[in-house]
Amino acid sequence: MITTSQMEKGALMAAERILIGCPVHQSPQILACFLDTLQHLHHHTPHPIDYLFIDDNLDPWSSELLLRFAYTEKSLSPNRQITVLSSGESLQYEKDEVTHQWNNLLIWKVARFKDRILSHAREARYDYLFLIDSDVLIQPSTLDQLIEAKKPIISEIFWTEWTPGSHQLPQVWLTDHYKMYRADYGEELSEEEIQTLTLEFLARLQVPGVYEVGGLGACTLIHRDALYDRISFGPISNLSFWGEDRHFCVRAKALGIPLFVDTHQPALHLYRASDLPKATAFFHIHRIAPVYQKIFAK
């Protein structure tokens, strides 16, 4: 028999609020796929979901897609808060079929956007912040999976060929800049030992589970226990690591906040325009009906 206190506890848990935050500087074709995955989320979670997009697009079609998404979702759920803010910046971000062209100005611009989203989540007293990049496609029940893990900071895994034809690697790592192995302080490992440990780590991530890591990003759920601590994406002045996510992770670990990755429901990273055909199979497998993609179906 369910008691009144149990019912109240269940109602409280169901009322926990989630903010999905995303800086967007994206091609309209990839952004359409991303928005199609987002619009399926609220069918799979009892938690109220709001959105905050920082529109840093140069292509007006991408900005239009964000506004269409906001209008459509708001019409379906009038109580849902969907905010699209102009970035007010115009730094060009280039990518091609080989890689993404980053520089320090772009990296710290993104860091400012993410910290702006963090501040909004705190001021509005959200229980969770889900930070996700606009080229990452998630499965419909990914948010529930991450919430059920009950971790302060956890990412859903995805795999990427960082250069064409290379082995796919995850967006999580164990130590330093992007090492897939651990070594004791002062320990020098041979190349063979490094390769063995790296392969063991990568093999572990192929098995569905939740694992502690040293670094993560791009598809990350932050629980209120960590959200209201001093986490930030801003630069740590005595750290030369490349990328705002690394500074975020180092700061979190220094604050005593552990980092985790979930591997039950891998996301799809549309790193290049040539990856777009993979979205079709992803949508078919996970029964996601394309809505925004139809705009570019001609």
Side-chain angles (χ1 to χ4, degrees), residues 228-293:
Y228 296 99
D229 210 325
R230 291 168 292 163
I231 55 172
S232 167
F233 289 88
I236 300 173
S237 61
N238 63 342
L239 189 68
S240 63
F241 287 165
W242 180 260
E244 80 287 352
D245 285 334
R246 289 171 179 83
H247 290 250
F248 171 85
C249 293
V250 169
R251 187 178 276 108
K253 293 290 283 188
L255 290 168
I257 304 172
L259 309 171
F260 295 87
V261 63
D262 177 90
T263 64
H264 289 92
Q265 299 189 15
L268 174 64
H269 190 197
L270 298 182
Y271 190 58
R272 304 174 182 84
S274 58
D275 291 326
L276 275 166
K278 299 176 184 177
T280 302
F282 186 87
F283 279 49
H284 176 73
I285 292 170
H286 301 297
R287 299 182 179 181
I288 299 172
V291 175
Y292 296 94
Q293 288 179 77

Side-chain angles (χ1 to χ4, degrees), residues 52-81:
L52 173 58
F53 299 105
I54 297 183
D55 181 0
D56 189 52
N57 294 297
L58 297 181
D59 190 317
W61 258 114
S62 295
S63 296
E64 176 66 20
L65 280 171
L66 288 179
L67 294 177
R68 289 193 188 192
F69 178 86
Y71 176 82
T72 301
E73 292 296 303
K74 189 72 174 176
S75 65
L76 293 173
S77 302
N79 293 327
R80 178 170 293 149
Q81 300 298 312

